[in-house]
Amino acid sequence: MQKGRLLSWIGLVGAVVLLLAINILSTVTFRQYRLDLTEDKLYTLSDGTRNIINSVEEPIHLTLYYSKGLASGAPSLRSHAQRVQEMLEEFSDRAGDKITLEVVDPAPFSEEEDEAVLNGLQGVPMTQAGDNFFLGLVGRNAIDQVQTIPFFDPQKDQFLEYDVAELVYNLSHPERKVLGVMSSLPFLGNVDAFDVLKSEAEREPPWIMATQLQQLFDVRKVETTATEIDDDIDVLMVIHPKDLSDQTLYAIDQFVLNGGRAMVFIDELSEMDRPPFDENNPYNSLWANRTSDLEPLLSTWGLSMEEEVVASDMKGAMRIPTRDESGRQQVVQYLPWFVSTKDTMNDKDVITAGLESVMVASAGILHKIDNTDLDITPLMTTSEESWRVPMNLVQFGPQPQNILDEFKASGEKFMIAARVSGIAKSAYPDGPPTEEGAEPTEEQMQKHVQKSDKPINVLVVSDSDILADDFWVQKQNMFGRQVIIPMAENFSFVANAAENFSGNSDLISVRSRGGFMRPFERVQELAKNAESKYREQVTELESKLKETEDRISEMQTQKEDAQSLVLSPEQQAEIEKFREERVRIRKELRKVQAELREDIEALNTRLKFINIGLIPLVVALIAVVLGLIRINRRRV
């Protein structure tokens, strides 16, 4: 009997040792194998990211600065940091020795903290002593070029994979990207060192948007008369394309079909398109055409723009100074100039996610064409407090009061900017346009691309003024130097698009992923319902309080003697009645709150039981059943 027990204990210890050995062995041997059961495959790299990792040729070293000690008191932040580290480990594991990862804990006042600051990482104060929490990434390639992610913001968790993939792509392709600019507006300025005939007044510096883009890209001017777009241009920026020839339009068409990316800024009414003043005919400038629509390319890309109207938005309208009929100056809302806020921008797209405000001026209204096969993703819209402003109310100068008088909310969200992707056809199915209707040559037809091999990538914005200094920056002179103060995030919008489009197709395909946080929706719904019920009780109490106060005030005015500040017996009785009523309602409120806590606690208990205790209980039940079966067999 004792020998049997001894064998049983030895068997039990052996089973435990075997379990531990299997666990350790599986951790070491099968670390690269994972089973991702999350709804949005949060722990599975997309095909685009895998292609970017596989294309890395020179070694890249990543250093994650993570203040692990400071995160111990913030469970949600620690969970986010763990996801960041696991994502980086996934990159490193897949790349082999091409991407190495180092995790550094920058303790306060340490050399590691100094290194993090010198590399441009952002620390977030976490303690009263001012200790900074770091969660940023520094990447270095073989030629010691550095790319950083200053801080992994938990609010941008859905873009974690994109941010890391972009950093790796930029380090593995360190060459400066080329941004071609074709503009009928003086976006790049008209200052030419060799043009000595222009006076100082005629010389215009480049717009601030252009100077800032020149810090990020090799900006190259493309003439509006170009008949071919250079192959080494990564992104073509087309601004207010007015009166382009068929040959130039065809060049843009073929550039896009051949894999070039385009950012197009058309306009129904360009505020910055200012024809020269003609003293002999002053009205010429007022009646001048200031519209650009890039047809027939726009319709080929699955979009159209409404004619003779511009979008307006009451919700984000700017206030401008003007004069009323009597000549008195006043400040009123000018509805065609409005701020597009985060509520009207696509928070799932990397171009607009995280933006708070973009200034728009007299924008056109875009529509998706019904029969298009292309994917149209709205990036920016108006709110539902919008209205189509007739051209006659904006063409000859701002008429804010007239627009306010005629405004009627449409209840529609007008599309202002959209991303276009998918397999596209040429807007010129018969081949390249020729002068005087001549047939294209055989050589021209051989070069002609009728249909794109890969999905095109085009950004269409129905406002060119979005780029102009007047609508997003303030300029101030401070100690003899000009200081630029952004009023909106127009540059971030354009820079995000240019950076996204300048990556390869794999990087562009890495879009937003599902959020990592999974709230208990049932708990939230329960709390919301109870909160609503609680709010009703509060409203009832406040209403009764006001009624009582009104009643006291009424009784006070009915007193005829001079002792009006002394409460009468009726008033005292009324107040006492209210106090009793208030006590009753407060008691009910406490009861509602107690029921709310009990319901939530009960739900939490059930969830904890399912998450923690259910599996062990099932295993125990299986063991009991197997034991009973074994005992029954012995008896038989």
Side-chain angles (χ1 to χ4, degrees):
M1 189 68 180
Q2 288 182 348
K3 184 177 180 181
R5 288 182 178 178
L6 180 62
L7 290 175
S8 298
W9 278 109
I10 292 174
L12 182 60
V13 172
V16 172
V17 171
L18 181 62
L19 180 63
L20 291 174
I22 292 174
N23 193 21
I24 294 172
L25 184 65
S26 62
T27 302
V28 175
T29 307
F30 304 108
R31 184 180 177 184
Q32 67 272 29
Y33 300 104
R34 296 182 179 182
L35 181 61
D36 187 355
L37 299 178
T38 56
E39 181 181 3
D40 297 313
K41 300 299 178 186
L42 297 176
Y43 295 95
T44 303
L45 298 181
S46 65
D47 292 340
T49 299
R50 292 178 183 178
N51 292 336
I52 290 172
I53 293 174
N54 294 335
S55 67
V56 174
E57 297 180 352
E58 299 291 334
I60 293 175
H61 183 72
L62 303 178
T63 305
L64 173 65
Y65 288 87
Y66 169 32
S67 306
K68 193 171 184 178
L70 293 177
S72 58
S76 60
L77 193 58
R78 188 174 67 243
S79 176
H80 172 65
Q82 182 180 354
R83 171 163 151 71
V84 170
Q85 184 170 339
E86 289 178 349
M87 176 66 74
L88 294 172
E89 289 172 349
E90 187 73 18
F91 270 71
S92 179
D93 290 343
R94 178 161 289 277
D97 58 354
K98 293 295 177 57
I99 298 179
T100 55
L101 175 65
E102 178 186 8
V103 181
V104 175
D105 185 352
F109 306 106
S110 64
E111 292 183 2
E112 289 78 9
E113 185 183 49
D114 294 340
E115 289 176 1
V117 174
L118 286 174
N119 282 307
L121 303 193
Q122 296 175 355
V124 179
M126 285 285 287
T127 66
Q128 292 183 350
D131 296 339
N132 287 322
F133 172 79
F134 288 89
L135 185 61
L137 184 67
V138 178
R140 281 187 171 81
N141 60 13
I143 55 176
D144 209 27
Q145 286 185 326
V146 177
Q147 291 270 327
T148 63
I149 297 177
F151 186 78
F152 287 103
D153 187 349
Q155 301 299 322
K156 293 183 63 180
D157 179 81
Q158 69 268 37
F159 296 105
L160 172 60
E161 182 183 349
Y162 176 84
D163 290 340
V164 178
E166 183 185 32
L167 181 141
V168 171
Y169 176 82
N170 289 334
L171 288 173
S172 59
H173 298 80
E175 65 278 4
R176 199 174 173 87
K177 303 298 186 297
V178 180
L179 178 67
V181 176
M182 177 187 290
S183 176
S184 63
L185 300 175
F187 181 72
L188 296 177
N190 60 4
V191 180
D192 189 341
F194 301 99
D195 191 355
V196 295
L197 298 178
K198 284 184 178 176
S199 65
E200 194 64 30
E202 292 174 323
R203 294 171 177 243
E204 293 187 38
W207 293 0
I208 291 172
M209 182 82 71
T211 59
Q212 295 197 353
L213 286 173
Q214 286 170 343
Q215 298 175 16
L216 301 175
F217 299 92
D218 178 8
V219 177
R220 188 179 303 174
K221 183 177 181 179
V222 179
E223 299 293 341
T224 54
T225 56
T227 56
E228 188 174 357
I229 309 298
D230 293 341
D231 294 336
D232 60 346
I233 289 179
D234 296 293
V235 183
L236 178 64
M237 192 171 175
V238 182
I239 303 171
H240 195 39
K242 190 175 73 171
D243 300 330
L244 299 185
S245 67
D246 283 340
Q247 286 73 21
T248 302
L249 290 169
Y250 178 74
I252 299 173
D253 173 88
Q254 295 295 292
F255 174 78
V256 171
L257 294 181
N258 278 306
R261 293 72 187 261
M263 298 160 51
V264 178
F265 298 84
I266 56 178
D267 217 323
E268 185 61 21
L269 176 67
S270 172
E271 302 280 359
M272 302 308 296
D273 186 355
R274 296 165 181 168
F277 183 73
D278 185 354
E279 294 182 354
N280 298 322
N281 192 351
Y283 294 101
N284 262 356
S285 58
L286 295 176
W287 288 101
N289 176 29
R290 292 188 284 166
T291 300
S292 57
D293 58 14
L294 204 67
E295 289 291 1
L297 274 63
L298 187 66
S299 55
T300 306
W301 294 339
L303 288 169
S304 65
M305 185 167 66
E306 291 191 31
E307 298 180 356
E308 296 298 318
V309 293
V310 298
S312 67
D313 194 337
M314 175 71 83
K315 190 173 182 179
M318 283 193 68
R319 297 175 67 83
I320 64 171
T322 185
R323 295 186 181 277
D324 60 14
E325 295 177 352
S326 62
R328 186 176 55 188
Q329 190 168 13
Q330 59 181 353
V331 178
V332 298
Q333 288 179 301
Y334 187 52
L335 307 189
W337 296 357
F338 58 88
V339 176
S340 180
T341 62
K342 62 185 302 182
D343 295 334
T344 56
M345 286 188 277
N346 188 338
D347 62 353
K348 305 296 183 186
D349 195 288
V350 69
I351 294 177
T352 45
L355 298 182
E356 298 287 340
S357 62
V358 173
M359 184 67 205
V360 177
S362 306
I365 301 173
L366 296 173
H367 291 280
K368 177 182 178 181
I369 294 177
D370 292 337
N371 57 356
T372 183
D373 294 327
L374 296 175
D375 295 327
I376 309 296
T377 305
L379 298 182
M380 190 187 308
T381 67
T382 65
S383 72
E384 293 180 346
E385 298 180 41
S386 60
W387 184 55
R388 292 175 173 83
V389 183
M391 188 62 73
N392 65 306
L393 291 181
V394 291
Q395 184 175 11
F396 307 112
Q399 303 178 47
Q401 195 57 56
N402 292 340
I403 294 174
L404 283 171
D405 292 342
E406 297 190 26
F407 175 83
K408 292 180 181 176
S410 67
E412 300 177 54
K413 289 187 173 182
F414 298 146
M415 183 162 58
I416 305 298
R419 181 196 286 267
V420 181
S421 59
I423 301 298
K425 297 179 181 178
S426 172
Y428 297 87
D430 299 328
T434 57
E435 296 181 357
E436 300 177 355
E439 291 292 328
T441 65
E442 185 175 345
E443 182 182 0
Q444 289 176 319
M445 289 304 296
Q446 288 179 348
K447 292 182 179 178
H448 175 71
V449 177
Q450 187 67 27
K451 185 178 180 181
S452 64
D453 292 333
K454 296 181 179 179
I456 66 169
N457 288 286
V458 176
L459 170 71
V460 177
V461 183
S462 62
D463 182 27
S464 61
D465 303 306
I466 201 172
L467 309 170
D469 300 353
D470 294 359
F471 296 100
W472 72 280
V473 292
Q474 283 184 339
K475 303 174 186 175
Q476 294 182 358
N477 285 320
M478 187 172 294
F479 304 110
R481 297 185 60 183
Q482 188 181 63
V483 178
I484 306 300
I485 303 175
M487 300 182 297
E489 295 174 291
N490 294 33
F491 173 71
S492 297
F493 170 68
V494 176
N496 287 351
E499 288 180 345
N500 181 239
F501 279 24
S502 62
N504 66 0
S505 57
D506 290 322
L507 181 60
I508 295 174
S509 69
V510 183
R511 302 286 181 82
S512 164
R513 305 295 296 274
F516 179 69
M517 302 301 293
R518 288 288 187 273
F520 291 114
E521 296 178 354
R522 173 61 183 152
V523 175
Q524 291 184 345
E525 182 183 357
L526 188 63
K528 184 178 178 181
N529 293 337
E531 174 69 19
S532 176
K533 186 178 179 181
Y534 173 78
R535 183 55 52 194
E536 290 177 3
Q537 297 278 19
V538 171
T539 303
E540 181 183 354
L541 176 62
E542 292 175 346
S543 176
K544 289 183 177 297
L545 175 63
K546 187 174 185 308
E547 289 177 4
T548 304
E549 289 176 343
D550 291 343
R551 177 61 181 158
I552 293 174
S553 176
E554 181 182 354
M555 296 172 68
Q556 190 76 18
T557 57
Q558 292 174 356
K559 292 180 65 68
E560 296 180 353
D561 55 18
Q563 304 297 323
S564 58
L565 296 178
V566 179
L567 296 177
S568 66
E570 291 81 4
Q571 290 172 325
Q572 293 178 358
E574 190 72 17
I575 291 175
E576 188 63 30
K577 178 182 175 184
F578 162 70
R579 286 174 177 168
E580 293 175 356
E581 183 70 7
R582 185 173 58 178
V583 169
R584 182 189 66 80
I585 295 177
R586 288 178 66 87
K587 186 177 180 180
E588 291 183 5
L589 289 177
R590 287 195 296 273
K591 184 180 178 183
V592 171
Q593 289 177 312
E595 291 175 352
L596 165 65
R597 286 194 296 270
E598 289 175 1
D599 290 345
I600 293 178
E601 286 297 328
L603 187 57
N604 281 334
T605 303
R606 290 199 296 273
L607 291 173
K608 287 179 181 176
F609 171 75
I610 294 173
N611 287 333
I612 300 173
L614 183 60
I615 297 302
L617 183 60
V618 170
V619 173
L621 288 175
I622 293 175
V624 170
V625 171
L626 291 176
L628 292 175
I629 293 174
R630 188 177 178 182
I631 293 173
N632 187 47
R633 284 179 178 174
R634 284 181 178 175
R635 289 178 178 174
V636 173

